[in-house]
Amino acid sequence: MADTVLTTRGVAAPVRVLRAFRGLRQRHLALGVSIFLLLLVVGTGLFANWIAPHDPRKGSLEDQRLPPAWIGEKTTPKTVVEFPEPGLSHQQISIARAQRLTPTAQLGDTVNVVLREGGTSKYLLGTDDLGRDTLSRIIYGARISLIIAVITLGIGGAIGTALGLMAGYFGGLIDELVMRVVDIFLALPLVLVALVLVVSVGQSFYIIVGVLVLFIWVRFARQIRGEVLQLKTMDYVALAKVAGASTPRILAIHLFPGVINTLIVVATLQVSIVILVESTLSFLGAGVPPPTPAWGSMVADGRDFLADAWWISTMPGVAILLTVLSLNLFGDWLRDRLDPKLRQLN
Amino acid sequence: MQRFIARRLVITIFTLILVSLIVFVMARASGDPRTLLLDDYASTEMYDELGKQLGLDRPLYVQYAIFLGNALTLDFGDSVVDKQPVTDTILERLPATLQLGLAAFIFSLVVGIPLGILSSIKRDSFWDQIGKVVALLGQSTPPFWLGIMMIFFFAVMLGWVPPSGRWEWNSFILPAVTLGWFTVAANMRIVRSSMLDSLDTEYIKLARAKGVSETQIIWKHALKNAVIPPLTFMGITLGTLVTGSIVAETVFAWPGIGLLAFDALRQSDYSLLQGIVIFFALMYLGISLLVDILYAYLDPRIRFS
């Protein structure tokens, strides 16, 4: 145990990550698929404007609620009559309307009436209630999720790491103070706080980011502090102190590189939580304001059309599920490779 | 023990203060409440009169103290939208939320614990694989989407259960599964790992060496010690069930406090929402505190540390 700690700590962080990837071939299929999916999400998010086939905000009213491409049209046979009897309009059709569909229709004939058009290759995953392309919206939704994840992890991770480093290194009053604040934030019902913020200042991108930062910095701080508590007892830290290294130098050059493994693992696992919480807030109408496509609000958009347009809610949900699933699989694997100690903490 | 309880109490109180401060500051930040309560033709005198009534002429910290005092006695004023006392509305919706929370809690125990035990004693078997899949999906499925998908399959397509609302017993199934799904996975993982730890201890090895039967080892020796870690987690679980109810109740139009919060959000009913937030926070923190104290009382390692 002690040996492996020393050897991995001796190598620069990027090299360690690369080394971790080398063992990839031996791992089973699920991991490969999840990494592929993650690259896909990141790629589509980054290049959304080139990849997306349509404008995610512009709908076309003629193409409302079209099913995905692989679903055919839905028809029903109706008998042609003079005037449909009340209550029987699902079986009968008036001669006037029937002749508009097929000019040769006669009284007593049976004609097939299209209840729902089939999917077209123009809209691979169908369209929503406003005729907007689901696939394009999912692609742009990936971009929003990515932006939010990167910003919140950047800010939250930086705050959490800095406070965790200080709490762990200085100990005493600072440690006590930071950890009690961490406890308070862990107990804070943040979804509710988000709702309060939204009602008072309105839906905005910054609120989402702010709430998520409050949500995740504590998780970084706790993990990093635990790591530093162990690291600071090591000889090389004491030697640096004796050699006259300043405190900022010890923190930045001697301790920080030691926690990078933990940082990478925590960050990967936190991305999945960020995406889940963000989509939940979007679903509740407290997320990124419309018409910006977000996965959670897309699921909410389809709620009223479940019976005849199930794909509107289903597709963005599948995107969330696959992304979060891949992140969890990838994060678990990364943890086992880089930092097996974290295992028991999760 | 006293130190532990005191510390937990202090954290709880500070969290409550933080929640109430956020709510209070946001209420002031959102603008003058008088513009909501009075119409455009109100005179300046009416404004001043109402300001005095609401205590707006006093310094901010006095206003906050009054607000906090009212909140602690569960007095949240009247709703801006329907002018009813907020507390009455919340209490009216409380039974529905508690029933749903209880149903979800039972579901998560009944499914999660046996699955955890099974996957620990039959390690790397079929059941263990099932358990791993459940744990992974539980962590990864967004609950609101799961709920909607279940409505589509079981209510719209198959017609087995009502799609929404709170009617007969079968209307409980989908909301309870939605709310408890995440907790099933959590319970399962915790029971599994604590069972594995406990099966690996010296006293189990001794029991095995003495020739105690495997059934007895599992049920009498290992399980007893393996249920303590999940017990602590139950406090957090109950808490998340309370707040998670917003999503489940919104999806299923379940007439509880969660749906009330969602409606308040849509109608921008700030006074109702602030009441709900503080009420939920009180409930959530109260439950966690209670469970922690109970746990400390049950587990001597905490009691004497």
Side-chain angles (χ1 to χ4, degrees), chain A residues 148-189:
Chain A
I148 289 179
V150 167
I151 296 180
T152 49
L153 283 173
I155 303 175
I159 297 174
T161 308
L163 288 175
L165 274 172
M166 292 204 291
Y169 184 68
F170 294 120
L173 191 67
I174 295 178
D175 185 28
E176 187 71 15
L177 203 69
V178 171
M179 291 328 283
R180 290 301 79 77
V181 175
V182 164
D183 283 340
I184 290 170
F185 272 91
L186 281 176
L188 202 64

Side-chain angles (χ1 to χ4, degrees), chain B residues 112-221:
Chain B
I113 291 182
L115 207 55
I117 296 173
L118 258 177
S119 63
S120 68
I121 54 181
K122 300 220 186 314
R123 219 177 155 179
D124 296 324
S125 71
F126 170 72
W127 285 106
D128 197 17
Q129 295 302 326
I130 294 268
K132 275 181 188 154
V133 171
V134 166
L136 194 63
L137 284 179
Q139 264 188 322
S140 311
T141 318
F144 57 90
W145 181 74
L146 177 74
I148 289 176
M149 288 300 105
M150 287 198 299
I151 292 179
F152 179 60
F153 281 113
F154 298 112
V156 178
M157 280 178 76
L158 299 170
W160 288 351
V161 286
S164 64
R166 173 167 164 256
W167 314 104
E168 278 152 48
W169 65 270
N170 63 1
S171 66
F172 274 76
I173 300 174
L174 298 188
V177 172
T178 303
L179 185 53
W181 176 240
F182 180 78
T183 319
V184 166
N187 277 344
M188 192 231 108
R189 282 163 70 109
I190 289 171
V191 170
R192 178 178 185 272
S193 71
S194 69
M195 267 300 272
L196 286 179
D197 282 350
S198 138
L199 282 171
D200 198 36
T201 51
E202 296 294 323
Y203 65 85
I204 295 286
K205 283 176 197 154
L206 176 72
R208 281 221 176 96
K210 270 167 50 187
V212 178
S213 76
E214 199 62 23
T215 343
Q216 273 217 320
I217 286 178
I218 289 160
W219 294 107
K220 274 191 84 175
H221 299 272

Side-chain angles (χ1 to χ4, degrees), chain A residues 2 7 10 14 37 58 64 72-73 80 82 106 138 141 144 195 201 215 230 259-260 287 293 295 305 337:
Chain A
T7 50
L37 284 173
K58 263 202 204 109
Q64 277 176 323
E73 60 179 17
V80 180
E82 193 86 38
Q106 297 296 320
I138 289 180
I144 286 296
L195 297 190
V201 263
F215 195 76
Q230 285 183 342
V259 298
I260 286 183
W295 289 345
F305 310 105
R337 291 290 306 194

Side-chain angles (χ1 to χ4, degrees), chain B residues 210-255:
Chain B
K210 270 167 50 187
V212 178
S213 76
E214 199 62 23
T215 343
Q216 273 217 320
I217 286 178
I218 289 160
W219 294 107
K220 274 191 84 175
H221 299 272
L223 194 59
K224 239 188 231 168
N225 284 294
V227 291
I228 295 178
L231 263 181
T232 33
F233 190 69
M234 268 169 216
I236 305 171
T237 306
L238 276 170
T240 48
L241 290 182
V242 171
T243 44
S245 65
I246 298 180
V247 168
E249 289 183 10
T250 303
V251 170
F252 292 95
W254 189 266

Side-chain angles (χ1 to χ4, degrees), chain A residues 180 183-189 191-193 195-201 276 279-280 283-286 296 299 303 306-307 310 313-314 317-318 320-321 324-325 328-329 346, chain B residues 7 11 14-15 18-19 22-23 26 30 136-137 139-142 144-145 148-149 151-152 156 189 243 246-247 250-251 261-262 264-265 268-270 273 277 280-281 284-285:
Chain A
R180 290 301 79 77
D183 283 340
I184 290 170
F185 272 91
L186 281 176
L188 202 64
V191 171
L192 291 170
V193 171
L195 297 190
V196 165
L197 295 183
V198 166
V199 165
S200 57
V201 263
L276 273 183
S279 64
T280 303
F283 173 78
L284 291 172
V299 173
R303 275 181 69 196
L306 268 189
W310 52 267
S313 279
T314 309
V318 172
I320 304 173
L321 173 62
V324 175
L325 198 66
N328 280 332
L329 277 170
N346 224 303
Chain B
R7 220 181 68 188
I11 291 168
F14 271 100
T15 312
L18 186 65
V19 171
I22 292 173
V23 167
M26 280 300 134
S30 65
L136 194 63
L137 284 179
Q139 264 188 322
S140 311
T141 318
F144 57 90
W145 181 74
I148 289 176
M149 288 300 105
I151 292 179
F152 179 60
V156 178
R189 282 163 70 109
T243 44
I246 298 180
V247 168
T250 303
V251 170
F262 180 68
L265 174 74
S268 297
D269 190 341
Y270 194 86
L273 192 65
V277 170
F280 262 154
Y284 175 79
L285 295 170

